Amino acid sequence: MAKTWKQKLEDQKQPKRQVLQKPMAGVPAGSMLLIPTPQLVKEFMDTIPEGEQISFKEMREHIAKTHKSDVACPISTSTSTRVVAEAAWEDIQAGKAPNQVTPFWRVIEPDSNLAKKLTCGSEFIEAMREQEVG
């Protein structure tokens, strides 16, 4: 049986750092690359105050800097962001209020490719942003 998004989020993997031997996804060779986990992304998202929005790029930069790396892997960070968002959506579907889950809508742009893949859809992200910003 496949894991739920929540089970994927609760996986106890540790973030990894590695020096890139060759360029990857716009990151130059020689850079210290952080491969974040969903839990690490969740912890960052949980610190974003209501009404504020941070770009995916800014989140990657902050997470990398916090973990003494040049850059957070764009692919792993995107995957981890999706795990966090889908796990939060599972909680909402189970009856939790949006203010009781990780506020993924503060990072994921409604018109992004990632938003279009999410079970909640872009409309939910837009609605939450409008509700918080007013």
Side-chain angles (χ1 to χ4, degrees):
M1 185 170 126
K3 287 184 176 183
T4 65
W5 292 105
K6 237 179 120 97
Q7 289 170 327
K8 290 178 185 182
L9 175 65
E10 293 166 354
D11 208 346
Q12 294 301 308
K13 291 180 183 175
Q14 295 299 311
K16 295 178 188 163
R17 294 172 63 229
Q18 66 185 49
V19 176
L20 280 181
Q21 300 303 313
K22 57 184 179 179
M24 179 203 78
V27 180
S31 297
M32 178 59 72
L33 180 77
L34 174 71
I35 301 170
T37 61
Q39 195 61 42
L40 187 68
V41 170
K42 178 188 183 315
E43 288 169 8
F44 175 79
M45 286 184 182
D46 284 338
T47 68
I48 303 169
E50 183 175 340
E52 288 189 26
Q53 298 167 7
I54 293 177
S55 73
F56 181 75
K57 181 180 177 192
E58 290 171 317
M59 178 178 74
R60 283 182 49 223
E61 290 170 353
H62 179 82
I63 290 172
K65 184 178 179 183
T66 302
H67 292 273
K68 298 178 176 60
S69 300
D70 298 315
V71 66
C73 175
I75 298 164
S76 298
T77 307
S78 180
T79 301
S80 292
T81 300
R82 181 169 187 193
V83 170
V84 172
E86 295 286 11
W89 184 248
E90 282 179 354
D91 282 344
I92 290 169
Q93 294 302 293
K96 283 191 176 181
N99 67 354
Q100 296 176 307
V101 303
T102 298
F104 61 91
W105 54 87
R106 296 178 189 160
V107 173
I108 300 173
E109 293 287 336
D111 60 350
S112 68
N113 287 334
L114 178 55
K116 294 171 187 166
K117 293 178 187 177
L118 296 177
T119 306
C120 68
S122 298
E123 300 78 20
F124 175 79
I125 294 171
E126 283 182 39
M128 290 307 300
R129 284 178 166 222
E130 286 176 19
Q131 178 182 319
E132 288 189 355
V133 176

